[in-house]
Amino acid sequence: MPKSTLSLQEFITRAALDPKFLSTYVKDPSRLQERYEVSDDVIQRISGVEKLLEAVQAESPSELATIRRNLFNISANDTFGDNFTDRGFKDNFRDGGGFTDRHRDNG
Amino acid sequence: MSPDVVPRSEWLPFYRSRKLGSTWLLVSRTGSWNILSEDEFQSLNRVFVPRPLLLRLAELGLVIYGDNGGAILQHWKRYNEGFFGGPYLHIIHLTQRCNLGCSYCHSSAIPLDAKNRDLSTRTAEQIADFIATTPSDRISVNFQGGEPTLMTHQIDVIMTRLRAACQANNKRLSSSITTNGTLLSAHVLEVLKKHDIAVTISIDGPQSIHDAIRQYRDGAGSYDDAIAGRQRLRDAGIRVGGSILVLTRQSAPRVREIIDEYVALGQRSLHLKAVTRLGASLPVWGELGLSFEEFWDAYTDGVEYMLSLQKQGVIVSEMMMLLALQKVIEGRDTTYVDMRNPCGLVYGVLNYDINGKIYACHEGKRKTEFLLGDVFSGDCAQLCMSDKAQAVAGSSVLDTHVECQSCTYLAFCGACPAHSFQMTGQREIKPLADFHCRLTLSLYDLVYKRLQSDPAPILAWWRHAILSQHLAS
């Protein structure tokens, strides 16, 4: 059966809608090539931003907070922007329900 | 006294509050936030406040308690990082002439045969040299008109000089052009490609909407030529940027059709914006202009529709809501000049007219109240520190307004003195009555309600933006 093609834009859209899609392939990009017709450029780009990929597939608030620091170069001593720390995340939404059930469970 | 409570003499509130459904939203002046139950909020109003609650809010910088005062100030500095690093967005008007005569043209463009309405080569050189003196370490140039693609020679002159200056001074350079897309000859494409200029083509929606607004001087619609121009750009490998979708009284009820048009064109980011009361729209404002309520109805309908498209695997995000989301989630300012306090006037953006005069912003051009000087004398740093520049920029400082001082969303807000001037004849905004103020209040209410009730679709927008920024750039 011929493989379907996957452009970079399509990859980004799929990953944005479904972080699990991202986590499935980031650890082993060759699996992406097994399943899809995908260019070496796309594979290279994905492989080169591991830190970012951790961010968007993060499942726990603390993971998000740590990676947000890396992404935006925020000092480790500065917690006030951390609406996603374990505590802040849980507290922010203690009555509002949390971002998702998964996140709420982790919080 | 019980160790479980703290008297009010030991802490200071650093938050503004807002009722959100059955909960209370607290936002600090530096953009951190927390949501409290009704009971928690009421306990915060007592003389003796529960210590665990206070510790929680202190950790987030929502109250000044213990020794967190210095850290709050550090966070404030970081939140405003780059605000006063010097103007980085430089909007250059290359000509007043245009082959179209659009019904709401804010530039009041004039026909092609008009004389002395173009930027001269000498002035183009002066503008480039002036821009190069900005203290900012990045320069973003935006070419506008009239129709800027009429002026490829001046584009070449400016970009060549700026590239050399930026290389010499280790500054980053990027550029864009806003065009009607009908004059994209092979030569124009060559210049755009040579300087890696991103292109925004103004398309107002399906052909019937576009052609009713954007017409040639003989009254013929320009839709087919604009679409063909967009395709030529794509074929040439030139970047086509996000689009500002200007809603009028006629087009607002058809917002879903307009979004469909952009999705079909492959656009994945839109800015839903109300028509501005400038230029050619002034005499027909009664026909075109939208009240806030009319705009907000169309905006929310558009946003809901864009979010619903995710069920079909399509992500198309609304820029203002995405910016608001980024501020809330990432705890930093986005530096978007129209949504910051003070706004981008002077210290974020400068506007250059065809005669070399410098205005504080794009919407303020050719208005004495926003005129700062010209490119023939002084440099950018001197201009920014002038009394006039500080007075103009100061008119967008929101902390001076009583209404803003108590507003929950002050940390996220931004005013537009040029818009205010157009509506009221004064640069100073009138909070609560001002269009931007009402938009901010409604927008952030919408973001927080979404985050509380149905976060997955807007978080997909956020992920898409981050992934695009890091993977596709």
Side-chain angles (χ1 to χ4, degrees):
Chain A
M1 191 172 159
K3 293 187 283 188
S4 57
T5 57
L6 190 72
S7 68
L8 183 62
Q9 280 307 324
E10 288 166 338
F11 178 83
I12 290 171
T13 299
R14 290 280 298 272
L17 289 169
D18 178 13
K20 289 288 184 192
F21 174 84
L22 194 62
S23 61
T24 301
Y25 293 113
V26 70
K27 289 162 192 162
D28 185 5
S30 63
R31 286 185 64 193
L32 196 64
Q33 282 177 312
E34 284 170 17
R35 179 142 187 204
Y36 298 97
E37 199 67 52
V38 56
S39 71
D40 290 341
D41 176 56
V42 172
I43 296 296
Q44 270 181 5
R45 283 172 187 258
I46 294 170
S47 306
V49 285
E50 220 167 310
K51 197 165 64 177
L52 169 73
L53 297 176
E54 287 173 8
V56 285
Q57 70 179 332
E59 295 185 15
S60 79
S62 59
E63 278 179 319
L64 261 176
T66 302
I67 295 154
R68 186 179 66 78
R69 286 181 202 288
N70 293 335
L71 282 176
F72 305 112
N73 213 12
I74 294 167
S75 159
N77 296 323
D78 181 356
T79 61
F80 298 139
D82 276 356
N83 297 307
F84 282 90
T85 59
D86 275 335
R87 178 176 187 144
F89 193 92
K90 181 174 67 178
D91 289 344
N92 274 331
F93 287 101
R94 57 170 51 192
D95 298 300
F99 280 123
T100 65
D101 285 341
R102 187 182 62 205
H103 285 149
R104 186 167 51 204
D105 290 342
N106 287 337
Chain B
M1 188 192 308
S2 163
D4 296 332
V5 294
V6 179
R8 297 194 79 84
S9 56
E10 290 188 20
W11 63 278
L12 280 170
F14 194 56
Y15 59 82
R16 286 101 172 146
S17 56
R18 187 169 180 84
K19 182 106 178 173
L20 273 187
S22 61
T23 60
W24 285 87
L25 170 67
L26 270 56
V27 183
S28 80
R29 181 64 186 85
T30 65
S32 57
W33 53 275
N34 202 226
I35 290 179
L36 271 57
S37 68
E38 179 70 36
D39 286 347
E40 286 175 326
F41 184 73
Q42 292 308 326
S43 69
L44 200 57
N45 296 331
R46 293 178 192 154
V47 174
F48 295 95
V49 176
R51 189 181 299 274
L53 175 62
L54 209 55
L55 287 171
R56 179 175 123 210
L57 299 183
E59 190 180 339
L60 288 167
L62 285 159
V63 296
I64 300 171
Y65 178 57
D67 59 358
N68 74 347
I72 287 176
L73 189 58
Q74 286 304 313
H75 180 69
W76 174 241
K77 288 179 181 174
R78 182 181 68 74
Y79 193 74
N80 291 301
E81 210 167 46
F83 263 37
F84 304 109
Y88 50 87
L89 174 59
H90 301 267
I91 300 174
I92 304 172
H93 292 265
L94 299 174
T95 179
Q96 284 182 261
R97 298 181 300 128
C98 186
N99 58 329
L100 303 188
C102 305
S103 58
Y104 60 63
C105 176
H106 59 72
S107 288
S108 302
I110 54 178
L112 291 179
D113 56 4
K115 305 293 182 196
N116 301 319
R117 299 301 182 98
D118 296 340
L119 181 70
S120 70
T121 300
R122 177 176 169 264
T123 305
E125 291 170 347
Q126 287 289 134
I127 288 175
D129 293 348
F130 185 90
I131 290 172
T133 66
T134 180
S136 173
D137 62 0
R138 65 182 172 115
I139 291 174
S140 176
V141 176
N142 176 235
F143 295 108
Q144 295 197 9
E147 174 47 41
T149 58
L150 290 165
M151 307 293 291
T152 49
H153 175 66
Q154 276 70 8
I155 292 173
D156 196 39
V157 165
I158 291 168
M159 290 305 296
T160 301
R161 284 176 93 90
L162 271 179
R163 177 162 293 109
C166 286
Q167 282 173 351
N169 297 299
N170 202 25
K171 292 178 190 278
R172 287 172 288 154
L173 175 65
S174 61
S175 56
S176 60
I177 190 168
T178 306
T179 172
N180 62 39
T182 64
L183 297 171
L184 297 175
S185 64
H187 173 62
V188 171
L189 296 183
E190 186 186 324
V191 173
L192 297 177
K193 187 139 190 167
K194 174 184 173 186
H195 294 294
D196 190 25
I197 298 172
V199 181
T200 296
I201 292 188
S202 312
I203 292 173
D204 288 85
Q207 183 154 16
S208 60
I209 294 176
H210 185 93
D211 282 350
I213 295 167
R214 297 183 180 272
Q215 298 174 348
Y216 288 100
R217 299 285 172 178
D218 64 3
S222 62
Y223 177 86
D224 289 337
D225 292 334
I227 294 295
R230 186 185 166 90
Q231 189 56 47
R232 275 200 293 281
L233 290 168
R234 287 266 160 96
D235 293 344
I238 294 169
R239 287 178 295 136
V240 180
S243 295
I244 296 178
L245 202 167
V246 178
L247 294 173
T248 64
R249 184 161 291 167
Q250 287 73 38
S251 64
R254 299 174 65 183
V255 66
R256 293 185 178 219
E257 286 176 67
I258 299 171
I259 292 166
D260 282 340
E261 174 79 12
Y262 273 102
V263 170
L265 290 170
Q267 199 79 38
R268 291 298 174 260
S269 172
L270 295 174
H271 177 182
L272 299 180
K273 183 179 184 299
V275 62
T276 308
R277 194 166 181 258
L278 287 169
S281 74
L282 286 173
V284 288
W285 185 249
E287 299 164 36
L288 292 179
L290 291 165
S291 67
F292 175 77
E293 288 76 11
E294 288 169 327
F295 171 72
W296 187 247
D297 282 349
Y299 181 88
T300 48
D301 185 39
V303 163
E304 287 301 320
Y305 183 58
M306 290 158 98
L307 291 169
S308 75
L309 290 175
Q310 288 182 18
K311 291 176 187 147
Q312 299 166 34
V314 174
I315 287 193
V316 52
S317 51
E318 201 289 312
M319 196 191 82
M320 293 298 284
M321 192 159 172
L322 181 59
L323 285 169
L325 192 63
Q326 286 176 317
K327 285 194 178 195
V328 167
I329 290 180
E330 296 169 15
R332 67 185 180 107
D333 196 85
T334 58
T335 73
Y336 178 61
V337 294
D338 285 356
M339 200 199 278
R340 60 183 236 188
N341 171 23
C343 81
L345 279 171
V346 184
Y347 301 104
V349 57
L350 288 175
N351 186 94
Y352 305 84
D353 206 357
I354 55 171
N355 54 9
K357 288 188 174 177
I358 304 170
Y359 294 87
C361 73
H362 167 61
E363 289 84 358
K365 77 172 183 286
R366 296 176 200 137
K367 295 183 179 66
T368 308
E369 290 76 7
F370 295 88
L371 176 63
L372 302 178
D374 62 57
V375 295
F376 303 103
S377 56
D379 63 23
C380 193
Q382 289 171 333
L383 180 121
C384 289
M385 294 310 292
S386 70
D387 289 343
K388 178 72 178 284
Q390 294 198 52
V392 172
S395 62
S396 74
V397 175
L398 298 175
D399 304 66
T400 57
H401 298 277
V402 172
E403 299 91 336
C404 299
Q405 288 164 4
S406 59
C407 180
T408 313
Y409 298 137
L410 178 59
F412 305 136
C413 191
C416 179
H419 185 266
S420 175
F421 182 81
Q422 203 58 41
M423 301 302 284
T424 67
Q426 292 185 321
R427 285 195 309 239
E428 286 68 26
I429 69 149
K430 299 201 182 311
L432 302 178
D434 180 81
F435 190 98
H436 279 71
C437 175
R438 299 184 67 188
L439 179 60
T440 299
L441 288 170
S442 302
L443 185 63
Y444 282 91
D445 274 352
L446 184 61
V447 166
Y448 276 108
K449 282 173 185 169
R450 270 276 174 184
L451 285 174
Q452 279 189 292
S453 63
D454 184 18
I458 57 171
L459 288 180
W461 280 3
W462 178 65
R463 278 194 295 271
H464 190 264
I466 286 195
L467 283 167
S468 297
Q469 183 185 340
H470 288 263
L471 284 173
S473 60

